[in-house]
Amino acid sequence: MEFHPLLYLYNLIQWFLDKLLSPTPPPPYASLSRPRIAVIGTGLTGVSSAAHCVGHGFDVTIFEAGGEKSLGGIWSQVNNTSGLQIHSIMYRFHPSVRWSSGYPDRQQIVSQIRELWKRYGLKERTKFHTRVAKVYQDKQGRWTINDPSNGRFDGGGASAVEALEFVTHTGASSTSVLARSDKWIIPRNAFVDVLLAFNIFGQETVFSWIPETFLRKFFYRDLSDLAPQSEGLFTETPMVNSDIFHQIRAGKAEWLRGDIIGFTEIGIKFNHRAKGVPKNGPGRESVVEGDMVIMATGFQRPSLSFLPDEVFTEPYQPPNWYLQCFPPEHVSICANNCTYVNAIGTVGNYHVGIYTRFLLMFLVDPLARPNEYWMKRWIDMTKTLKEFAPTGAFDFFTYSELIYWFVFCIAINPFRWKWGIFVLFGIGQAVPLNVVKKENQLRNGLGMRKRVT
């Protein structure tokens, strides 16, 4: 077997992160403590969140509408040629994940999710074929999932480029990608992707022309006409792919900008638009011939309609929530990855665990728990800071901005300082819990009531 020093170093880093940051799995059928957490869905986010909870000693029940074949969420449904468009170093949804390549395919991703599910004993804590239709609180503030028979809980989880990769893999002689809108394409390069995610402002700035110019000159090169004309790089989630331009240059694919009018017997009737012409604008109509049509329109976002009506009240409806995932009316709900719109980053990285640990901190520490008023003030402040962003304040962000949110949330409240290392890295849970016990004794001794949410 050929020795790859970079791959060896990557595996060594993964081993170190696993040993340092992974919570210890509980023994089989262990009796875990309160708070009891309900996790909805066995996708990447649900399994990772549940693993973090049980690893830190908190009881969990996972509800999944489908059967065990649904384990893995969207990744359990896509074709086998699908894989990560970003480097796997940015897709570490749990510290114990061990990738064997920089860009793992669908089978390896599902395998890692299944291994995580088994490693943390989540099989006996998962209720398959249980669709969540509603959640509601009782007078004690405990959550009920569907009906009381499920118990009570303290808190609450294909693109055109992939289609092109699929047909190329199957040996298609030529492929036409019909694009309705202009989207930025960035290279599959971990350094470039991380560099772009360092924009802590989470929006277009006066310096955005610098990375955009570099992409046009060194990545798009002779295909710069395919780069968006007016849409900024930091306004919508870019596509991550380095092979697509090779396919176009080799004559195996073409990228057509315009609108689909309808189907014909031999292909698709298409309105070709020039660069800069808006959707449904004037263009030249023709028939794009083809033997197969792949509707690469993406997946339908899961509905949040089962949540209480008050969390959808304007102007604090999703994604305009505290840290984007916590509705101000109910801090014990964490819509982890459910309110994401556009970003430069990844939905499957360390933030899954960080959000979960924020939830645990809010549940067990009354003094660290934000109230509705201050949660809304943080939302208002973020909107003010991003007032001139071309998108809504929470419609686009970068990973650096997300980390800023996390650090600010901890720094603004001195009672959260003791939780800082635990929330951000998953280390040292015992210390803040012991401090909370002492604080509760002091508060009770002073006659202060515990806040119930």
Side-chain angles (χ1 to χ4, degrees):
M1 181 181 292
E2 186 178 356
F3 176 73
H4 295 279
L6 289 180
L7 183 58
Y8 176 80
L9 178 62
Y10 185 33
N11 287 329
L12 188 63
I13 292 173
Q14 292 187 97
W15 176 86
F16 178 74
L17 291 174
D18 181 13
K19 297 300 180 183
L20 178 65
L21 302 179
S22 292
T24 304
Y29 302 100
S31 178
L32 301 178
S33 67
R34 300 283 298 269
R36 188 181 180 209
I37 313 295
V39 175
I40 300 172
T42 56
L44 174 153
T45 305
V47 172
S48 176
S49 299
H52 279 288
C53 288
V54 300
H56 293 301
F58 297 97
D59 196 8
V60 162
T61 299
I62 308 176
F63 297 89
E64 168 57 51
E68 191 168 333
K69 290 184 178 180
S70 300
L71 189 59
I74 289 177
W75 285 113
S76 68
Q77 304 171 34
V78 299
N79 59 71
N80 285 330
T81 61
S82 295
L84 281 187
Q85 300 297 322
I86 58 172
H87 196 278
S88 57
I89 199 170
M90 299 177 68
Y91 210 75
R92 299 198 55 77
F93 54 88
H94 193 274
S96 65
V97 168
R98 300 285 186 92
W99 301 119
S100 59
S101 63
Y103 297 92
D105 59 18
R106 172 256 184 194
Q107 291 177 316
Q108 187 182 163
I109 295 169
V110 173
S111 174
Q112 287 294 315
I113 296 173
R114 283 187 169 273
E115 287 183 20
L116 182 64
W117 183 67
K118 294 177 181 177
R119 186 182 306 121
Y120 282 86
L122 299 176
K123 183 175 182 178
E124 61 266 23
R125 304 180 188 279
T126 304
K127 292 188 175 183
F128 289 109
H129 304 291
T130 306
R131 181 177 298 277
V132 175
K134 63 178 179 178
V135 300
Y136 57 93
Q137 283 185 302
D138 61 17
K139 294 180 179 180
Q140 287 74 42
R142 297 172 301 178
W143 290 102
T144 298
I145 310 297
N146 289 338
D147 60 68
S149 65
N150 290 313
R152 301 188 187 279
F153 301 85
D154 298 280
S159 69
V161 170
E162 288 183 336
L164 176 60
E165 290 179 336
F166 171 74
V167 296
T168 301
H169 179 79
T170 56
S173 59
S174 64
T175 306
S176 298
V177 179
L178 311 183
R180 296 169 296 174
S181 59
D182 289 333
K183 293 193 70 169
W184 281 95
I185 302 174
I186 60 178
R188 295 177 81 175
N189 181 289
F191 176 76
V192 173
D193 299 343
V194 170
L195 199 62
L196 292 175
F198 268 135
N199 178 359
I200 196 171
F201 300 102
Q203 59 181 308
E204 286 287 291
T205 69
V206 294
F207 301 107
S208 296
W209 63 272
I210 298 177
E212 292 170 4
T213 301
F214 269 82
L215 286 173
R216 287 191 176 96
K217 187 173 182 62
F218 298 107
F219 184 54
Y220 282 83
R221 302 198 311 272
D222 56 310
L223 299 174
S224 60
D225 181 66
L226 299 182
Q229 181 178 31
S230 56
E231 290 80 4
L233 177 60
F234 299 100
T235 59
E236 191 176 3
T237 305
M239 293 181 285
V240 186
N241 193 277
S242 294
D243 187 57
I244 185 169
F245 293 150
H246 297 310
Q247 298 293 334
I248 294 175
R249 292 186 181 104
K252 295 181 179 180
E254 60 177 347
W255 190 281
L256 306 177
R257 180 189 293 110
D259 309 295
I260 295 175
I261 300 174
F263 290 91
T264 71
E265 293 182 355
I266 60 173
I268 292 178
K269 191 175 182 180
F270 190 70
N271 177 45
H272 299 258
R273 286 187 277 106
K275 186 174 182 177
V277 177
K279 294 179 183 179
N280 301 315
R284 174 180 56 84
E285 292 185 10
S286 69
V287 175
V288 180
E289 297 184 7
D291 300 310
M292 177 187 295
V293 176
I294 299 178
M295 304 293 289
T297 54
F299 288 89
Q300 181 178 356
R301 182 184 295 272
S303 172
L304 296 175
S305 60
F306 58 84
L307 293 177
D309 292 339
E310 58 266 28
V311 305
F312 301 102
T313 305
E314 295 185 1
Y316 303 104
Q317 76 278 29
N320 301 320
W321 284 353
Y322 186 65
L323 300 179
Q324 202 187 48
C325 288
F326 295 93
E329 296 82 4
H330 296 288
V331 71
S332 58
I333 293 176
C334 177
N336 209 338
N337 274 346
C338 296
T339 54
Y340 161 88
V341 181
N342 286 294
I344 290 185
T346 165
V347 297
N349 211 345
Y350 278 109
H351 68 277
V352 177
I354 293 175
Y355 272 123
T356 303
R357 292 188 290 272
F358 263 116
L359 173 65
L360 297 178
M361 176 182 71
F362 293 158
L363 290 174
V364 302
D365 190 348
L367 296 177
R369 189 181 306 148
N371 61 36
E372 180 179 345
Y373 175 83
W374 287 113
M375 293 171 80
K376 290 181 176 179
R377 298 297 75 77
W378 179 87
I379 297 170
D380 295 338
M381 180 193 72
T382 304
K383 287 182 176 180
T384 301
L385 291 175
K386 301 182 71 172
E387 182 179 3
F388 299 106
T391 63
F394 297 93
D395 292 346
F396 181 90
F397 62 89
T398 63
Y399 221 77
S400 292
E401 183 185 14
L402 191 65
I403 299 302
Y404 154 70
W405 290 353
F406 294 156
V407 173
F408 178 88
C409 178
I410 293 173
I412 198 67
N413 184 341
F415 292 105
R416 297 175 189 160
W417 295 354
K418 60 183 177 292
W419 290 98
I421 300 299
F422 170 73
V423 170
L424 296 177
F425 303 103
I427 300 174
Q429 172 193 359
V431 173
L433 278 179
N434 288 332
V435 175
V436 169
K437 291 179 181 178
K438 297 295 183 182
E439 290 173 344
N440 284 340
Q441 292 174 0
L442 177 62
R443 293 168 68 244
N444 293 337
L446 295 175
M448 299 171 63
R449 287 186 175 182
K450 292 184 179 181
R451 189 195 310 171
V452 178
T453 59

